[in-house]
């Protein structure tokens, strides 16, 4: 019997990520995704209110000893907490909705594609590999297009807002901390690329 071709000859291509093609899967869900991003930005912006309010508590309430001011600040914190919770609920619901719909679309497309492939393709591919493509890889794409994108936008909002608040409070100390940012980014990039290479090999 003729031995099947070596599966190691069919390596997964490692080229640039086709972002335009990936983002295209979000087109049917532009509206819920847009609402989710708005809720994400609002949630990130509201999270910046807490340190500002705490600073006012320390600077005003403890110094002046005003119980009325403390009550007002406490009520304000409760309102901010409720608003942030509401935006987080909207964000989580919409992202999960879009993510699950993406999984359905991708798996239906993959199953249809598999039905049109030749028998020779299945000789050179293991069942476990195909199962992993349909399960793990689709889930990874869903995370990139929903959860990871959401975290990226939220962290950018928090970073910009935090820098603005820091500069308003103490610009000298803020500039000293920001001077260390390139070093931190360098370490993060080094370990990030290394972990990506190791993860790809595994």
């Amino acid at each position: 019997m003729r031995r099947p071709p070596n599966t190691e000859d069919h390596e997964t291509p490692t080229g640039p990520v086709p972002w335009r093609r990936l983002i295209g899967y979000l087109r049917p869900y532009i509206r819920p995704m847009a609402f989710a991003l708005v809720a994400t930005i609002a949630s990130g912006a509201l999270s910046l209110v807490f340190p500002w309010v705490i600073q006012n508590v320390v600077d005003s309430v403890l110094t002046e000893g005003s119980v009325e001011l403390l009550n007002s600040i406490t009520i304000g914190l409760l309102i901010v907490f409720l608003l942030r919770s509401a935006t987080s609920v909207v964000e989580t619901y919409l992202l999960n909705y879009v993510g699950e719909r993406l999984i359905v679309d991708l798996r239906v497309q993959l199953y249809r594609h598999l039905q049109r492939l030749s028998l020779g393709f299945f000789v050179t591919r293991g069942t476990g590999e195909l199962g992993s493509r349909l399960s793990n890889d689709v889930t990874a794409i869903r995370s990139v297009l929903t959860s990871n994108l959401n975290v990226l936008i939220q962290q950018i909002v928090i970073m910009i807002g935090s820098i603005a608040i820091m500069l308003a409070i103490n610009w000298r100390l803020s500039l000293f901390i920001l001077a260390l940012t390139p070093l931190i980014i360098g370490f993060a990039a080094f370990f990030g690329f290394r972990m990506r290479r190791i993860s790809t090999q595994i």
Side-chain angles (χ1 to χ4, degrees), residues 1-199:
M1 295 179 63
R2 189 178 65 177
R3 297 179 61 186
N6 188 0
T7 57
E8 294 182 357
D9 295 336
H10 300 272
E11 295 289 341
T12 302
T14 57
V17 178
W19 289 110
R20 181 175 298 180
R21 181 181 176 187
L22 290 177
I23 297 298
Y25 287 108
L26 292 174
R27 288 176 184 171
Y29 313 105
I30 288 295
R31 183 174 297 177
M33 198 64 190
F35 282 116
L37 293 180
V38 171
T40 298
I41 294 173
S43 178
L46 288 171
S47 66
L48 296 171
V49 175
F50 291 99
W52 177 73
V53 172
I54 292 174
Q55 181 211 359
N56 287 335
V57 171
V58 175
D59 293 345
S60 302
V61 177
L62 297 182
T63 303
E64 300 178 7
S66 174
V67 178
E68 291 78 10
L69 183 58
L70 179 60
N71 291 336
S72 300
I73 292 177
T74 303
I75 294 174
L77 278 176
L78 288 175
I79 294 174
V80 171
F81 176 77
L82 291 175
L83 289 175
R84 188 172 185 275
S85 299
T87 56
S88 296
V89 168
V90 172
E91 165 198 340
T92 303
Y93 174 80
L94 292 176
L95 286 177
N96 284 332
Y97 170 79
V98 174
E100 294 303 319
R101 296 306 306 170
L102 282 176
I103 286 180
V104 172
D105 294 344
L106 285 169
R107 285 181 179 165
V108 168
Q109 182 179 351
L110 283 171
Y111 276 117
R112 288 176 177 172
H113 181 67
L114 286 173
Q115 297 296 324
R116 293 193 295 265
L117 294 175
S118 65
L119 292 177
F121 172 83
F122 295 97
V123 172
T124 60
R125 297 291 182 179
T127 305
E129 180 187 357
L130 296 179
S132 176
R133 300 295 185 193
L134 292 170
S135 177
N136 299 334
D137 289 7
V138 169
T139 304
I141 292 175
R142 180 228 186 194
S143 299
V144 168
L145 294 178
T146 56
S147 302
N148 293 358
L149 180 62
N150 162 62
V151 171
L152 175 64
I153 293 175
Q154 189 175 59
Q155 293 304 314
I156 289 175
V157 171
I158 293 176
M159 181 185 68
I160 295 174
S162 299
I163 292 175
I165 293 175
M166 289 167 55
L167 291 173
I169 294 175
N170 191 327
W171 65 271
R172 293 184 179 86
L173 182 59
S174 300
L175 291 178
F176 173 74
I177 295 175
L178 292 176
L180 301 176
T181 302
L183 181 63
I184 298 173
I185 292 176
F187 276 111
F190 172 76
F191 286 108
F193 285 125
R194 183 168 178 82
M195 289 299 295
R196 178 182 178 184
R197 189 174 305 167
I198 293 174
S199 176

